[in-house]
């Protein structure tokens, strides 16, 4: 029973077709630069002979054209992996914002589509793109149930003490202003993997999960449930990221507007797209910044130190939140690959029971699970490759099973 997973962005569609019975990927790819003069599609199909790769560039007007081409490739006479579009048992969609309404993966019908639309004010860039993906997939695979898996859902278990802001209550009551948190699919996936590695059910373990990609967030997970997370009402809060500032004094926004005359649109761009590591160094890829540091660039060294310092503060805070921490997990592009970030963020945390083994950390193999704490570290430290697509596929399958 193949399940198609779609992650539709404003100008891209990331997709993966899973064979759930055999637990393997049949095909995967990315449609990029939709609506731009030159679009791009990368596709990989897997069979017993190995991988067939294909790459195409031409104008891709909209999501419909992009996904139609994906369907053609899935059915392709030579590199196709299914014989009929009707073989696809379900389509699982990553939907960024589920508000307070969605704490579980949900079968999509007209009411659910309307609810995702109602949440557009909370996710003006993402929910419209997600809806487009849903619309086009429903058209192309009309027989397949469509399921929404929300990136905010995992954090709906947070207690009010963690999710409310200390501003007048009417903003929560009337506008839904609160912490929602994001990256929930990834935090859930790696926290379950961590429990497996600890050999205990998720309900019995406490973990801190650090998702460090272009966007970064960290979550305190108690007994399998998110109890606090660093992103907030929007993904701007918390850790220092590739291009986002993370936590700042909120009055800085007032100053930028009132004293320096920046518009809301300019402040939005400044804090979301031009800040973080990019703002500090002019580059947002940590590999480039680390190279500069190695060449003696003091700004690069400071930026990396700030990145690790912010992370360390959150590890400390979430240790306090959880009381007992069984494992600290690093995941996503930076978390999985940048040993120097892990080392710097954990340095001096012996008092909290966290100590890394320098060699194991440095040698953690790419793309694999590894355990990098020192002998005697009370907290296990894991590097776990995240797999949001697989989590979406599993949750989609679970929704269908529940429906019988
Ligand atoms: P996204 O949030 O877009 O899913 P990823 O999880 O793919 O991002 O992470 C992308 C980021 O990972 C890049 O911006 C880069 O800084 C970082 N990264 C990837 N590989 C390495 C590496 N070997 N060392 C340091 N940083 C890395």
């Amino acid at each position: 029973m193949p399940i198609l997973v779609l992650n539709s962005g404003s100008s891209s569609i990331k997709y993966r077709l899973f064979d759930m019975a055999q637990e393997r990927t049949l095909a995967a790819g990315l449609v990029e630069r939709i609506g731009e003069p030159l679009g791009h599609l990368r596709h990989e199909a897997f069979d017993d002979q190995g991988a067939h790769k294909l790459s195409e560039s031409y104008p891709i007007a909209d999501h419909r054209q992009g996904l139609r081409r994906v369907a053609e490739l899935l059915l392709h006479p030579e590199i196709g992996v299914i014989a009929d579009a009707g073989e696809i048992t379900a389509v699982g969609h990553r939907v960024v914002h589920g508000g307070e309404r969605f704490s579980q993966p949900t079968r999509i019908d007209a009411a659910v589509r309307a609810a995702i639309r109602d949440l557009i004010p909370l996710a003006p860039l993402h929910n419209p793109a997600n809806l487009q993906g849903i619309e086009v997939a429903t058209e192309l695979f009309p027989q397949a149930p469509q399921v929404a898996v929300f990136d905010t859902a995992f954090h709906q278990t947070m207690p009010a003490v963690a999710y409310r802001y200390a501003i007048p209550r009417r903003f929560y009551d009337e506008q839904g202003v609160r912490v929602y948190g994001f990256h929930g699919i990834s935090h859930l996936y790696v926290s379950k993997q961590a429990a497996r590695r600890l050999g205990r059910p998720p309900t019995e373990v406490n973990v801190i999960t650090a998702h460090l990609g272009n966007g970064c967030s960290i979550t305190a997970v108690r007994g399998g449930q998110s109890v606090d997370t660093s992103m907030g009402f929007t993904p701007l809060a918390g850790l220092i990221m590739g291009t986002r500032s993370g936590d700042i004094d909120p009055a800085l926004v007032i100053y930028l507007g009132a004293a320096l005359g920046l518009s809301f649109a300019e402040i939005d761009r400044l804090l979301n797209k031009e800040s973080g590591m990019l703002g500090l160094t002019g580059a947002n890829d940590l590999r480039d910044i680390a190279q500069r540091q190695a060449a003696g660039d003091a700004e690069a060294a400071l930026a990396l130190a700030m990145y690790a310092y912010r992370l360390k503060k959150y590890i400390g805070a979430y240790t306090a939140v959880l009381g007992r921490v069984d494992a600290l997990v690093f995941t996503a592009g930076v978390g999985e690959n940048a040993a120097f970030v892990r080392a710097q963020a954990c340095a001096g945390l012996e008092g909290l029971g966290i100590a890394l083994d320098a060699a194991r950390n440095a040698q953690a193999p790419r793309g694999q699970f590894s355990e990098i704490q020192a002998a005697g570290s009370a907290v296990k430290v894991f590097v776990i490759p995240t797999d949001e697509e697989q989590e979406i596929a599993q949750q989609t399958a679970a929704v269908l099973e529940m429906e019988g």
Side-chain angles (χ1 to χ4, degrees):
M1 49 174 285
I3 288 183
L4 179 64
V5 171
L6 294 181
N7 183 352
S8 309
S10 56
S11 65
S12 69
I13 306 169
K14 203 171 159 189
Y15 61 93
R16 204 148 125 193
L17 186 68
F18 283 95
D19 183 329
M20 299 309 281
Q22 297 185 49
E23 292 185 16
R24 67 189 189 98
T25 298
L26 298 171
L30 178 66
V31 188
E32 281 178 295
R33 301 198 209 114
I34 296 171
E36 290 181 30
L38 195 59
H40 191 69
L41 189 151
R42 256 188 306 146
H43 180 81
E44 264 187 297
F46 305 92
D47 63 18
D48 301 335
Q49 275 93 56
H52 304 274
K53 292 189 189 185
L54 183 148
S55 164
E56 306 176 331
S57 293
Y58 45 82
I60 302 169
D62 52 21
H63 285 65
R64 181 167 291 107
Q65 190 189 340
L67 198 58
R68 195 170 276 157
R69 180 63 185 149
V70 172
E72 274 173 24
L73 292 171
L74 296 176
L75 292 159
H76 195 275
E78 278 128 48
I79 63 161
V81 290
I82 50 172
D84 188 291
E87 284 176 34
I88 292 176
T89 26
V91 184
H93 296 267
R94 174 171 183 265
V95 179
V96 166
H97 218 307
E100 289 191 322
R101 158 122 187 227
F102 297 106
S103 56
Q104 297 293 331
T106 306
R107 171 85 177 255
I108 299 169
D109 57 17
V112 170
R113 268 203 299 270
I116 296 171
R117 195 167 305 119
D118 289 344
L119 289 162
I120 287 177
L122 298 184
L125 298 179
H126 292 108
N127 275 27
N130 301 153
L131 274 170
Q132 255 182 318
I134 290 168
E135 210 171 280
V136 176
T138 309
E139 237 177 77
L140 289 176
F141 310 106
Q143 84 301 333
Q146 313 277 327
V147 173
V149 179
F150 298 90
D151 210 28
T152 50
F154 181 50
H155 301 301
Q156 279 298 302
T157 48
M158 276 190 294
V161 72
Y163 73 67
R164 283 288 298 278
Y165 290 118
I167 62 172
R169 180 177 159 174
R170 64 179 184 278
F171 291 97
Y172 171 62
D173 291 343
E174 292 162 22
Q175 329 291 337
V177 173
R178 51 161 285 175
V179 172
Y180 288 101
F182 300 87
H183 290 149
I185 298 163
S186 177
H187 287 294
L188 171 58
Y189 176 80
V190 297
S191 65
K192 286 193 297 192
Q193 292 288 323
R196 229 187 57 180
R197 296 291 178 168
L198 291 163
R200 309 220 300 273
T203 47
E204 287 176 17
V205 302
N206 292 348
V207 297
I208 297 174
T209 53
H211 176 109
L212 312 175
N214 274 314
C216 301
S217 68
I218 181 164
T219 297
V221 184
R222 175 184 288 131
Q225 299 195 324
S226 169
V227 292
D228 204 348
T229 193
S230 61
M231 284 179 167
F233 178 66
T234 79
L236 182 57
L239 301 174
I240 296 176
M241 316 184 201
T243 66
R244 295 192 194 115
S245 62
D247 293 338
I248 52 167
D249 179 346
L252 181 53
V253 173
I254 302 163
Y255 176 78
L256 291 170
L260 302 185
L262 272 64
S263 69
F264 283 126
E266 285 168 331
I267 297 172
D268 183 3
R269 195 170 59 239
L270 178 78
L271 297 177
N272 276 299
K273 300 249 157 76
E274 299 167 359
S275 292
M277 299 308 272
L278 179 67
L280 290 168
T281 68
N284 69 354
D285 193 307
L286 257 63
R287 284 165 290 198
D288 301 336
I289 302 170
Q291 263 180 11
R292 283 203 220 163
Q293 179 188 28
D297 182 333
E299 291 297 319
L302 174 62
L304 290 172
M306 288 170 67
Y307 183 100
Y309 179 72
R310 180 77 55 86
L311 187 53
K312 177 186 291 195
K313 287 210 290 188
Y314 269 96
I315 294 170
Y318 289 171
T319 300
V321 165
L322 292 173
R324 185 202 82 224
V325 182
D326 299 300
L328 167 64
V329 179
F330 288 96
T331 193
V334 177
E336 292 167 30
N337 297 303
F340 61 94
V341 167
R342 298 190 298 253
Q344 230 174 329
C346 294
L349 293 185
E350 294 79 7
L352 300 182
I354 299 171
L356 287 197
D357 181 295
R360 281 160 112 186
N361 180 43
Q363 288 153 18
R366 186 173 279 263
Q368 283 176 40
F369 170 85
S370 46
E371 199 167 325
I372 58 170
Q373 78 280 353
S377 174
V379 177
K380 301 233 192 270
V381 185
F382 295 154
V383 178
I384 302 181
T386 193
D387 194 340
E388 287 159 290
E389 283 80 19
Q390 194 183 129
E391 180 62 36
I392 293 169
Q394 281 171 4
Q395 292 195 22
T396 300
V399 168
L400 300 186
E401 269 161 37
M402 262 170 16
E403 290 181 351

